[in-house]
Amino acid sequence: MGPLLLLLFVAVVFTWLVVRSVRAGYGTGIFWLAWFCIGLAVVLSQQPPLPLAARILINLWATSVILLPVWWSWRWVSRASRSHR
């Protein structure tokens, strides 16, 4: 359960840093890479069978690895389209 608490703490801090970074307009690729590597390390350290809470957190992490770049791209496109009006 310790690694899961660490993952939760890292997720909160990482989210805060990403929001600040995206608003400033830099660092998204580096933060995504760090998020992927840290999450992958925690996932690989888990021993089966995993409790339900662990499976939910792992699924949320995996979804965020995919959705973060999609969200950043969508925000970039929407900002670019507003600036061309």
Side-chain angles (χ1 to χ4, degrees):
M1 191 64 159
L4 290 176
L5 292 176
L6 177 64
L7 178 64
L8 182 61
F9 174 75
V10 169
V12 169
V13 171
F14 178 78
T15 302
W16 177 72
L17 289 172
V18 165
V19 167
R20 290 189 62 189
S21 176
V22 170
R23 285 183 183 157
Y26 61 90
T28 55
I30 294 170
F31 283 116
W32 181 86
L33 184 61
W35 179 245
F36 177 78
C37 292
I38 291 169
L40 186 62
V42 171
V43 168
L44 293 177
S45 72
Q46 300 299 309
Q47 298 295 323
L50 295 176
L52 179 62
R55 291 192 308 257
I56 290 171
L57 285 175
I58 289 170
N59 285 328
L60 288 174
W61 168 77
T63 303
S64 72
V65 166
I66 295 167
L67 291 181
L68 274 174
V70 170
W71 180 67
W72 291 332
S73 299
W74 177 77
R75 297 263 310 189
W76 182 79
V77 167
S78 67
R79 285 181 184 165
S81 67
R82 278 188 263 158
S83 68
H84 288 351
R85 287 183 184 178

